[in-house]
């Protein structure tokens, strides 16, 4: 056993012997026997396969990869929290540099300036995107970022307001994550369903807001792709003494639209995957988290700050760590330790390559493509639009047959046609959520439309669940 | 390390200086030394609040530690040291002077008598440090 | 200044590199977005549109590539050299895993695709679940948590759900004093009050101590095994019995699983829930602080509470959403699939024998360093250790030299310092975890450097106190950074 050779483990037989000599032992078993009680030792053999070579490994995983159908082999109209935008090649080349890829959290700043400066730049760019004062160095994903935002709002108001309102069409996974996080916590969640037009009901919201409410969370563009009326919602929330948390699932929207910060949000969280991170079946993606300067001390997660070295040269360090678990332990602002550093780096590189104009163009083209689909679908016999409010790049369409059937029947023709809404509790069977980004060409969208058209009229669209 | 004889000391390493019916409170030299460079102070109570013995009235942070300040006496909180905002180093440089933290109107001056005098505190610290 | 023997990585061609925003030139760009040929929309009301321009940098592709390449050269990494961070398991990260994760058949999968188009990915996930079950002897696994602390939160919520379903909800949880800060922080988030458990004088938890603390409000014990002192918790199986008898459950923090593979199965000792750090034990890269993955394994009793969806082992594989007792979910989609995939490639290549060998060599390497360094430094617990060993600065403090100075001076010798000032129960700790992927040459070079630093502590303490001198920057002012937080570039002032 001790002679098993792995290409990642350099020790040779004679070297092992030399080390054992230094320890005054004759075998590795003797060493382990000194530490591990006999009764604790695993006596069987692990029900796992034997070692294989790299070519065998590559062969096996390529075989498994071929069992999948991926979004480059079909035309994908899937969005709903994960978006297929163009990704510059330079990103993977840069993040695959071992110095970024295989570094740990930058606890020793003198030899981690690369990661630290990149994170400071990242924090700055997230602030610019969201119109906020400070951003952390990332959290896991958009859903967990939202859950953390609710508990941050609760802390900001000193724990005196126990209720958080999730208003309107918030991504179901995000909502479910908040529910799970609040199972044991001090926050009780109130769910305010969207009104008929797919957006937050202002009347219902003002009825719900009270002195017990610490925050209102609103997703905009919301899960149906619609823009919420933040200029109206924001003062309403603030007048009640609560904080406004805005959730963004594709930050490209912020390049086109007034930023959540400009509209008065107190905390902005989001999913950063759309900005240069591969879909990768849903992870690793990136949680974005930004707030106002005055709430800085309640922010969860790592922060990088600018400082100077002993010679007065500019440098960067992890800072304000007293908020974090390794110092404040049970009273920390969160338990988060490992975040999504490399994904944050991908987003930084993406934003530096695109710049303000590139980002705006991607957003505009995505929206224009979605608008093209919207107009065409509204003219398709048997199809209809479920909502008509201003939107970004996703829309819910009413289908003449169950949406799940649309998806199933279009798959062999090379389409991921969208997401049937009845996948979620309360979702309606004849509604399909579709998304368009800039990577879809006109011809591709036309082929999607003509394939959709074949569903016409062979069923009466059901209205309502 | 300094242990001014005119002050009284708590086991939580706060000092108390009685001025009439008021008490000025701060962190001892030992406390500031073990905490390291103070970078941030957050008051948990505001002037006007009534605080009891043992209440957490502030948190003092260094780069890598957080220390709660427990009120060694009870009474009405009269004042907090706003000069420390942006000059937190005073807690380190002048712990018994400019680095004071709170001023309290004593509700029960006898509470001060329960605190240690300088020599008792010095012995207490020596024991803790060994 | 002494002469420093050049080992590795400290003599590079160090470029200076400004911030992106300082490089920016109006009108440049590094990307031409796709255009579709449909007319650009003008439907959005003017009052919804962004007016204030985003001050993102404007740079061409070569400038961006150069910027990040230069930044990368300021980082130390495993690829640069030995990275002995205790409790972090900085082992070599196989490159093939990066190639495999980048395959279109994995990287271009949308999480909402129909399940029949995700069969290969689900096989990868099922493989990792099965492997983790095999290594721990536990019954079921979820891959959803994104990192270790995320797994802790989930694991504690599972314990809560289980005890609630028994009609026995509880409010406290025992956490050893030597635990990672994430343990008490996770306990708070899961609604538990963390009660600290002291270890015995030799750093090991004692059965009686745990027994005394167990009552009908204690949900159980969170324990890192081997513990953060690098020691084997030899009373653990008895402790698990005591906890179970009092109606509690045992949570295992898997941060140190790299010492146990094929040697001890935590489930056999009586652990009920355990998280893994795929970015430690299973060799996925740390990426400068993530992404990781923190799967959680549980006993049969806890399985009904696992988050949704779970993989159903039929042919084809399907995802099961209807699980009425589930705690819900702790994030979107299916976890950090890309990280899980990298771990799968590591586990597949290593196989049972390779993983066992890895743990054995990790233990041997740590003990070798323990013995080699035991004359120059105080070893906090002199008995044989598992995969990591803790030194202190007690012998050096006489010269006014502290752990931080030793750590910074190591940089001048081309090494990353160990984990310092953790665990908190050992004052001035230096926690060294070499891992199995370091050669004897490298271990010797590291030990030689540390011994030389110890010698310098007596002869020229000021060199240590002003270290490091060889990286491009000297010691950084962390006090100033915390006192006057500057957390983003200020576009309105010249910096």
């Amino acid at each position: 056993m001790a002679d098993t050779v792995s290409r990642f483990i350099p020790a040779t037989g004679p070297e092992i012997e030399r080390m054992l000599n230094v320890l005054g032992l004759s075998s590795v078993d003797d060493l382990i026997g000194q530490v591990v009680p006999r009764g604790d030792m695993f006596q069987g053999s692990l029900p796992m396969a034997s070692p294989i070579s790299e070519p065998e490994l590559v062969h096996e995983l390529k075989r498994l990869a071929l069992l999948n159908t991926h979004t480059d082999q079909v035309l994908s109209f899937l969005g709903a929290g994960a978006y297929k935008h163009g990704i510059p090649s330079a990103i993977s080349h840069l993040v695959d540099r071992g110095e970024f890829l295989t570094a740990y959290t930058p606890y020793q700043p003198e030899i981690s300036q690369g990661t630290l400066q990149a994170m400071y730049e990242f924090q700055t760019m997230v602030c610019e995107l969201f119109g906020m004062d400070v951003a952390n160095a990332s959290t896991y994903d958009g859903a967990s970022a939202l859950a953390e935002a609710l508990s941050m709002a609760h802390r900001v108001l000193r724990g005196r307001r126990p209720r958080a309102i999730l208003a309107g069409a918030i991504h179901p996974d995000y909502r479910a994550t908040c529910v799970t996080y609040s199972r044991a916590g001090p926050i009780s969640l109130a769910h305010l369903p969207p009104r008929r037009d797919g957006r937050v009901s202002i009347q219902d919201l003002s009825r719900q807001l009270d002195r017990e409410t610490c925050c209102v969370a609103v997703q905009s563009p919301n899960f149906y792709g619609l823009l919420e009326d933040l200029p109206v919602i924001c003062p309403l929330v603030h007048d009640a003494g609560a904080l406004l948390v805005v959730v963004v699932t594709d930050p490209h929207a912020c390049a086109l639209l007034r930023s959540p910060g400009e509209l008065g949000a107190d905390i902005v969280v989001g999913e950063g995957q759309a900005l240069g991170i591969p879909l990768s079946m849903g992870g690793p993606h990136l949680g974005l988290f930004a707030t106002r300067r005055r709430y800085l001390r309640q922010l969860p997660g790592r922060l990088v700050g600018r400082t100077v070295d002993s010679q007065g040269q500019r440098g960067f360090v992890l800072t304000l760590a007293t908020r974090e678990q390794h110092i404040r332990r049970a009273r920390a602002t969160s338990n988060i330790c490992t975040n999504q550093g490399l994904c944050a780096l991908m987003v930084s590189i993406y934003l530096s390559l695109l710049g303000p104009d590139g980002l705006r163009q991607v957003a505009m083209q995505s929206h224009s493509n979605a608008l093209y689909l919207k107009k065409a679908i509204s003219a398709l016999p048997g199809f209809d639009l479920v909502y008509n409010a201003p939107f970004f790049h996703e829309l819910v369409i009413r289908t003449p047959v169950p949406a799940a059937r649309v998806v199933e029947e279009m798959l062999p023709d090379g389409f991921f046609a969208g997401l049937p809404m009845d996948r979620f509790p309360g979702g309606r069977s004849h509604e399909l959520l579709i998304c368009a980004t800039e990577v879809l060409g006109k011809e591709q969208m036309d082929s999607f439309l003509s394939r959709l058209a074949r569903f016409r009229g062979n069923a009466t669209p059901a209205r309502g669940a | 390390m300094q242990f001014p004889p005119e002050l009284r000391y708590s086991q939580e390493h706060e000092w108390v200086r009685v001025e009439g019916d008021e008490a000025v409170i701060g962190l001892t030299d030992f406390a500031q030394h073990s905490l390291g460079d103070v970078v941030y102070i957050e008051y948990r109570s505001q002037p006007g609040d009534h605080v009891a013995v043992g209440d957490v009235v502030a948190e003092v942070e260094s780069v890598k530690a957080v220390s709660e300040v427990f009120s060694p006496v009870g009474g009405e909180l009269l004042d907090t040291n706003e000069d420390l905002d942006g000059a937190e180093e005073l807690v380190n440089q002048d712990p018994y002077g400019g680095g004071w933290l709170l001023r309290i109107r004593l509700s029960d001056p006898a509470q001060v008598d329960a605190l240690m005098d300088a020599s008792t505190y010095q012995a207490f610290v020596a024991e803790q440090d060994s | 200044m002494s002469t420093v023997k050049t080992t590795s990585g400290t003599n590079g061609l160090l470029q200076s590199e400004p911030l992106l925003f300082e490089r920016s030139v109006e009108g440049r760009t590094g990307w031409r977005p796709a255009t579709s040929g449909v007319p650009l929309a003008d439907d959005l009301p003017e009052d919804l549109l962004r007016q204030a321009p985003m001050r993102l940098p404007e740079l061409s592709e070569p400038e961006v590539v150069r910027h990040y390449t230069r930044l990368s050269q300021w980082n130390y990494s495993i690829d640069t050299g030995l990275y002995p961070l205790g409790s972090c398991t900085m082992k070599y990260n196989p490159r093939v895993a990066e190639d495999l994760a980048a395959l279109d058949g994995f990287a271009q999968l949308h999480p909402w695709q129909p399940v029949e188009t995700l069969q290969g990915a689900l096989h990868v996930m099922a493989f990792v679940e099965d492997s983790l079950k095999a290594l721990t002897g536990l019954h079921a696994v979820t891959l959803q948590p994104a990192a270790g602390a995320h797994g802790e939160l989930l694991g504690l919520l599972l314990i809560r759900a289980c005890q609630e379903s028994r009609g026995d909800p509880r409010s406290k949880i025992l956490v050893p004093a030597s635990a990672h800060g994430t343990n008490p922080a996770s306990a708070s988030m899961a609604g538990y009050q963390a009660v600290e458990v002291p270890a015995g004088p030799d750093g090991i938890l004692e059965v009686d101590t745990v027994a005394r603390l167990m009552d009908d409000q204690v949900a159980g014990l969170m324990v890192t095994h081997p513990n953060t002192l690098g020691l084997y918790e030899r009373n653990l199986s008895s402790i698990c019995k005591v906890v179970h008898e009092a109606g509690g459950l045992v949570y295992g923090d898997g941060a140190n699983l790299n010492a146990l593979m094929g040697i001890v199965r935590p489930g056999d000792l009586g652990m009920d829930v355990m998280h893994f750090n795929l970015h430690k034990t299973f060799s996925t890269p740390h990426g400068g602080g993530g992404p990781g993955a923190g799967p959680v394994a549980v006993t049969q009793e806890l399985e009904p509470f696992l988050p949704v969806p779970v993989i159903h082992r039929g042919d084809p594989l399907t995802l099961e959403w209807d699980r009425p007792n589930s705690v819900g979910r702790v994030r979107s989609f299916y976890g950090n699939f890309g990280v899980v995939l990298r771990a799968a490639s590591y586990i597949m290549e290593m196989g049972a024998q390779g993983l066992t060998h890895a743990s054995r060599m990790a233990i041997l390497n740590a003990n070798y360093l323990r013995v080699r360094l035991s004359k120059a430094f105080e070893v906090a617990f002199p008995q044989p250790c598992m995969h990591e060993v803790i030194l202190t600065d007690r012998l050096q403090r006489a010269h006014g030299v502290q752990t931080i100075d030793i750590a910074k001076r190591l940089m001048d010798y081309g090494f990353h310092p160990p984990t310092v000032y953790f665990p908190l129960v050992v004052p001035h700790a230096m926690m060294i975890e070499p891992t199995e992927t370091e050669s004897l040459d490298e271990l010797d070079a590291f030990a030689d450097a540390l011994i030389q630093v110890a010698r310098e502590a007596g002869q020229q303490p000021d060199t240590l106190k002003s270290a490091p001198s060889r990286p491009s920057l000297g010691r950084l002012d962390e006090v100033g950074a915390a006192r006057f937080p500057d957390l983003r570039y200020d576009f309105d002032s010249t910096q």
Side-chain angles (χ1 to χ4, degrees), chain A residues 2 4 6-8 10 23 29 34-35 37 40-42 49 51-52 61 64 68-71 79-80 82 84 88 97-105 108-115 117 120-121 123-124 127-129 132-133 140-141 173 176-177 180-181 184 254 256-259 279-284 293 304-310 313-314 317 319 325 329-330 335 339-342 348 352-356 361 364-365 367-369 371 416 423 438 440 442, chain C residues 18-20 22 29-31 33 36 38 40-41 43 47-50 54-57 67-69 71-72 74-79 83 85 88 90 93-94 100 104-105 107-110 112-113 117-121 149-150 160 179 181-182 185-186 188-190 232 263 265 269 285-290 321 327-333 336-338 348-353 357 360 367 371 384 386 408 411 436-437 472-477 485-489 495:
Chain A
T4 311
S6 158
R7 62 186 174 133
F8 312 130
L23 299 179
D29 285 336
Q34 284 190 339
V35 193
D40 283 6
M41 281 202 203
F42 176 59
I52 56 175
L61 279 167
L64 290 174
N68 300 321
T69 305
H70 62 79
T71 53
K84 190 173 178 65
R97 290 186 63 88
E99 302 92 329
F100 283 133
L101 185 72
T102 75
Y104 196 69
T105 304
Q108 296 290 346
E110 296 84 358
I111 50 176
S112 311
Q113 284 299 304
T115 294
Q117 180 171 327
Y120 179 83
E121 293 169 342
Q123 290 171 189
T124 305
C127 289
E128 283 298 308
L129 207 50
M132 300 301 279
D133 302 330
Y140 307 131
D141 74 336
D173 280 6
T177 301
T180 302
Y181 269 64
C254 300
L256 191 61
L257 303 164
R258 289 172 74 188
S259 69
L279 290 166
S280 195
M281 199 167 144
R293 179 97 189 174
V304 173
R306 188 175 72 110
T307 188
V308 290
D309 78 349
S310 45
Q313 307 177 83
R314 177 169 71 189
V317 293
T319 192
Q325 47 76 26
R329 299 177 76 87
N335 69 340
N339 56 26
Q340 305 282 113
L342 204 70
S348 290
S352 1
L353 285 167
L354 269 75
Q361 286 170 42
M364 188 41 139
Q365 188 67 66
H367 171 64
S368 303
N369 287 357
L371 182 65
F416 291 157
R423 271 190 84 130
E438 85 287 2
L440 290 169
K442 181 172 177 298
Chain C
L19 289 161
L20 284 168
E22 295 162 343
T29 186
W31 185 242
S36 67
V38 307
L40 288 184
D43 63 316
D47 64 327
L48 294 181
L49 296 178
R50 181 183 265 270
M54 281 175 296
R55 292 168 294 185
L56 295 178
H67 176 78
Y68 287 100
T69 302
L71 290 190
S72 77
W74 292 346
N75 269 4
Y76 192 91
S77 65
I78 306 175
D79 285 1
Y83 212 130
L85 284 175
C88 301
M90 294 296 284
N93 311 130
L100 297 171
D104 285 343
Q108 306 300 336
L109 296 178
H110 194 286
W112 291 127
Q113 282 179 212
T117 66
L118 296 170
Q119 287 300 302
H150 208 205
R160 175 172 284 279
T182 51
S186 301
S188 293
M189 286 175 80
Y232 189 88
I263 300 171
R265 297 198 309 177
L269 303 180
H286 281 70
W321 297 84
V327 296
R329 52 164 60 250
V330 291
R331 53 158 296 163
S332 52
F333 309 126
N336 280 348
F337 172 75
M348 246 177 230
E349 173 167 346
M350 295 288 280
Q353 296 89 331
H357 187 52
R360 291 162 63 90
N367 278 284
V371 170
M386 292 295 276
K408 298 297 183 193
M411 297 176 187
E436 73 281 6
T437 63
S472 60
L473 293 184
R475 219 177 275 198
L476 285 138
D477 179 9
D486 173 348
L487 307 169
R488 54 167 297 181
Y489 182 71
Q495 300 205 351

Side-chain angles (χ1 to χ4, degrees), chain A residues 297 322 327-328 331, chain B residues 40 59 61-62 68:
Chain A
R297 299 277 164 178
T322 47
I327 294 177
R328 206 177 284 255
R331 295 180 300 119
Chain B
Y40 184 68
E59 277 189 348
E61 298 184 5
S62 64
E68 291 182 320

